[in-house]
Amino acid sequence: MKKILMIGTGGTIASRATSNGLDPQMTLDEILTYIPDIAKICEVDTIQICNIDSTNISPEHWIMLVNTIRENYDKYDGFVICHGTDTMAYTAAALSYMIQNSAKPILLTGAQKPINKEISDSKINLFDSFLYATFDGTSGVQIVFNGKVILGTRARKTRTKSFQSFSSINYPYLAVIQDGHIIQYINLAKAEAPVFYDTLNTKVGLFKLTPGAEADVLSYMLERNDAVIIESYGVGGIPSMPQYHYLEVIQDWIAKGKTVVMTTQVPNEGSDMNVYKVGYNLKSKVPILEAYDMITEAVVCKLMWILGQTKDPEKIKKLFYTTISNDILY
C-alpha cells in the first residue's frame, strides 16, 4: 500500500464545541479513529504542525507546511493536509507557488462540521482525500472537498455553511469522487522533481474599490506595502471623474517602485481592461499588471512569492504572467 503523510493544522474538522464556540482541540490520531476504513487503502503517518482556527493561519504556517513536506517528500507517496475552510484557498494557492512541479499529490481538505458530530462532512472529505492521494496519476496541489477535486490555484470558498463550500473558478474540476469511485476529467502533466521555495514577501495589500472610495486610501496602502491589488468592478477600471485622482496616485507609486495589479470583484470570467475607457486609459498610461482570469487568492499568494524572489519590475512582470499550475490562461 502507498504511504501517505497526514499533516494537521486544526480547523473545524478538529474542533470541539465549547461555551465560546467551536475550537480546534482534536489531534490527528483522534480524527483517524473516526475513519478506520482509511487503513484499508493506505498506510498513514501523522504530523501536527499546529491546531488552530484557520482564521489564524499566516504565511509563517505556509512556510512550516513547505518545510514539513520537503523534509518528508522522499518518504511518502503523497500528503493530505487537514485545514480549516476559511483560509484553505489561500493556503492551496500559496503551496502551489512554494512547491512547484510536485510529482506527488499534496491535497488539502477539511469540513464544515466537526468530525465528532453525528451529521458531518468530515469523514467523507477525509476518506476521499486519502483515496485520491493513492490514485495513480495524481500530482501537485489540490483541494478535495464535497466530492470535487479543485486545482490549488483555482479554488475559492463560495459558501459559508453548506457542505458544497468550494468552487473552481475559471477552470474545470479536475475530478469528482462518487461512492468511492474517482472520475478523472483532467490529467495534469507530471514533473520529475519538485522545486521548493521558503521565501515570501508578505507586504501585499488588497484594496476593494467601492463607490466613493478615496484614492488617498489606496495611496496609504501603497505606502505601507510593496504591492497592492485593486479589486475593481466588472472587467476592471478606476474612477475617472475630476474629484478622483486614482491615476496620479498609481503613477506616482509605480514610479517609486511599487507593484500595482488590477483584478475584478466578480467571481467568474476575469478582467479585461481594454473594454472600457476607465480601464484602457489606466493601462495605456502606466505599467499596471492585469490579473485576467486569475482568482484573487492566487494573485495575493503569487505576488508574495514573486516579491520574495525579486524586486526588479521586469522580472516581476515576467513571473506574474508566467503560467504556474494553470493559474492564468488569458
Side-chain angles (χ1 to χ4, degrees), residues 177-248:
I177 306 171
Q178 298 174 348
D179 301 323
H181 298 285
I182 296 170
I183 304 170
Q184 189 82 23
Y185 295 135
I186 297 176
N187 290 306
L188 300 175
K190 275 206 171 186
E192 293 184 359
V195 180
F196 293 90
Y197 297 87
D198 58 10
T199 303
L200 296 172
N201 180 343
T202 61
K203 291 185 176 181
V204 175
L206 179 62
F207 175 75
K208 190 180 185 77
L209 192 63
T210 56
E214 296 184 0
D216 289 345
V217 178
L218 175 61
S219 181
Y220 176 78
M221 292 185 68
L222 283 163
E223 181 182 3
R224 296 178 62 85
N225 292 281
D226 293 328
V228 169
I229 304 151
I230 301 174
E231 261 197 353
S232 185
Y233 317 117
V235 291
I238 55 169
S240 58
M241 298 297 285
Q243 64 267 35
Y244 299 109
H245 54 281
Y246 279 98
L247 178 60
E248 292 81 2

Side-chain angles (χ1 to χ4, degrees), residues 51-316:
N51 206 1
I52 59 177
D53 189 297
S54 71
T55 301
N56 293 312
I57 289 288
S58 69
E60 286 76 16
H61 296 102
W62 299 340
I63 293 171
M64 291 169 64
L65 284 168
V66 169
N67 289 337
T68 299
I69 293 171
R70 175 165 44 196
E71 291 165 4
N72 292 279
Y73 192 83
D74 294 332
K75 303 175 189 175
Y76 295 93
D77 299 299
F79 305 86
V80 172
I81 301 169
C82 272
H83 198 289
T85 60
D86 286 348
T87 55
M88 188 186 295
Y90 283 99
T91 298
L95 293 181
S96 298
Y97 300 114
M98 299 173 75
I99 308 174
Q100 296 182 30
N101 304 322
S102 173
K104 299 178 180 181
I106 301 168
L107 309 178
L108 293 92
T109 195
Q112 291 288 69
K113 299 290 183 182
I115 201 165
N116 61 2
K117 294 290 185 181
E118 183 177 351
I119 299 176
S120 173
D121 53 338
S122 304
K123 300 178 185 67
I124 189 64
N125 285 346
L126 265 180
F127 185 83
D128 284 352
S129 297
F130 280 99
L131 184 67
Y132 195 68
T134 62
F135 185 67
D136 290 337
T138 59
S139 62
V141 180
Q142 287 113 47
I143 285 178
V144 179
F145 212 97
N146 193 46
K148 308 294 192 302
V149 181
I150 305 171
L151 195 65
T153 57
R154 295 290 185 168
R156 172 171 290 173
K157 186 174 182 181
T158 52
R159 291 175 174 83
T160 60
K161 297 180 180 179
S162 63
F163 291 167
Q164 191 178 339
S165 304
F166 288 90
S167 300
S168 184
I169 307 298
N170 297 328
Y171 200 82
Y173 293 115
L174 299 183
V176 296
I177 306 171
Q178 298 174 348
D179 301 323
H181 298 285
I182 296 170
I183 304 170
Q184 189 82 23
Y185 295 135
I186 297 176
N187 290 306
L188 300 175
K190 275 206 171 186
E192 293 184 359
V195 180
F196 293 90
Y197 297 87
D198 58 10
T199 303
L200 296 172
N201 180 343
T202 61
K203 291 185 176 181
V204 175
L206 179 62
F207 175 75
K208 190 180 185 77
L209 192 63
T210 56
E214 296 184 0
D216 289 345
V217 178
L218 175 61
S219 181
Y220 176 78
M221 292 185 68
L222 283 163
E223 181 182 3
R224 296 178 62 85
N225 292 281
D226 293 328
V228 169
I229 304 151
I230 301 174
E231 261 197 353
S232 185
Y233 317 117
V235 291
I238 55 169
S240 58
M241 298 297 285
Q243 64 267 35
Y244 299 109
H245 54 281
Y246 279 98
L247 178 60
E248 292 81 2
V249 165
I250 293 170
Q251 283 177 322
D252 289 347
W253 283 110
I254 287 180
K256 294 175 183 177
K258 305 289 186 172
T259 299
V260 179
V261 177
M262 178 69 71
T263 189
T264 174
Q265 300 171 21
V266 182
N268 294 292
E269 299 178 355
S271 66
D272 185 350
M273 295 177 67
N274 290 323
V275 173
Y276 294 101
K277 186 176 180 180
V278 291
Y280 180 84
N281 278 351
L282 173 63
K283 193 172 182 180
S284 63
K285 292 178 180 178
V286 293
I288 192 171
L289 302 178
E290 184 173 359
Y292 294 107
D293 66 331
M294 289 183 69
I295 64 172
T296 297
E297 293 87 343
V299 177
V300 169
C301 296
K302 191 172 191 176
L303 283 175
M304 288 185 182
W305 168 70
I306 291 171
L307 295 176
Q309 317 309 312
T310 183
K311 294 182 179 179
D312 180 82
E314 286 304 313
K315 291 181 179 178
I316 291 171

